[in-house]
Amino acid sequence: MRKSLASEGRAVGMTFNNDEATTGTNRQDTLTEASVSLLHDSGLGATVAYASQELSAKTSGTKDPEGWYAKVGYQWNAWGFAADYASFDNGNVSIPSTSTYTLSSIGLGADYDLGQGVVVGGLYRNYSADVSGINNESDINVLALNMRVKF
């Protein structure tokens, strides 16, 4: 018997900024954000999100910033597992216009419910930046262990 996907949440939003009162470069005209999350009765869940900006009075070489995020997780008895990936392009226009960059992040995590409101877990995350004109780029790796106690 096939189980249907139940929508846990979804959202779409848009913001318009009045830029006629400002005279600077790389002004944000429009911000668009959207996300969708789904949760299946089996414990499998997923989220996808997207964000972008439209800029006016862009300096030479400046791109409209945009990024996306995706996560998949699975809950099995007392165990929970998740993996996610995110990528953002030129999300900070304060970087000189001659530079372009991409920031990406990938993560893996797991937790275990010990009962009585106590959950232990751990995660690994890698951050990687690719910035034009910089030769000494290094990835950042994060390992974390945690414990949550509800009382």
Side-chain angles (χ1 to χ4, degrees):
M1 181 171 148
R2 185 174 178 179
K3 296 182 181 181
S4 64
L5 288 174
S7 175
E8 184 175 73
R10 58 188 171 275
V12 176
M14 184 171 276
T15 303
F16 296 96
N17 293 334
N18 180 358
D19 68 348
E20 294 182 22
T22 61
T23 59
T25 58
N26 298 329
R27 296 185 311 264
Q28 175 184 293
D29 280 342
T30 307
L31 170 65
T32 304
E33 297 174 318
S35 67
V36 175
S37 296
L38 301 171
L39 178 62
H40 191 270
D41 293 338
S42 68
L44 183 64
T47 296
V48 177
Y50 175 79
S52 69
Q53 295 178 358
E54 290 182 27
L55 306 175
S56 62
K58 290 190 273 192
T59 54
S60 176
T62 299
K63 300 187 316 184
D64 289 336
E66 70 176 340
W68 63 273
Y69 171 81
K71 180 177 183 177
V72 64
Y74 184 68
Q75 187 71 35
W76 176 59
N77 295 327
W79 288 95
F81 304 94
D84 67 357
Y85 179 80
S87 178
F88 302 95
D89 292 322
N90 278 22
N92 182 353
V93 294
S94 65
I95 290 179
S97 62
T98 57
S99 296
T100 59
Y101 76 90
T102 299
L103 173 66
S104 61
S105 172
I106 189 166
L108 299 169
D111 63 20
Y112 184 77
D113 188 344
L114 297 171
Q116 304 299 318
V118 179
V119 178
V120 295
L123 68 87
Y124 166 76
R125 179 165 303 283
N126 172 270
Y127 297 97
S128 179
D130 183 16
V131 181
S132 65
I134 295 179
N135 295 328
N136 61 350
E137 298 167 7
S138 296
D139 285 3
I140 298 172
N141 294 294
V142 177
L143 290 171
L145 298 174
N146 62 64
M147 177 182 282
R148 182 178 67 220
V149 180
K150 291 183 184 181
F151 51 92

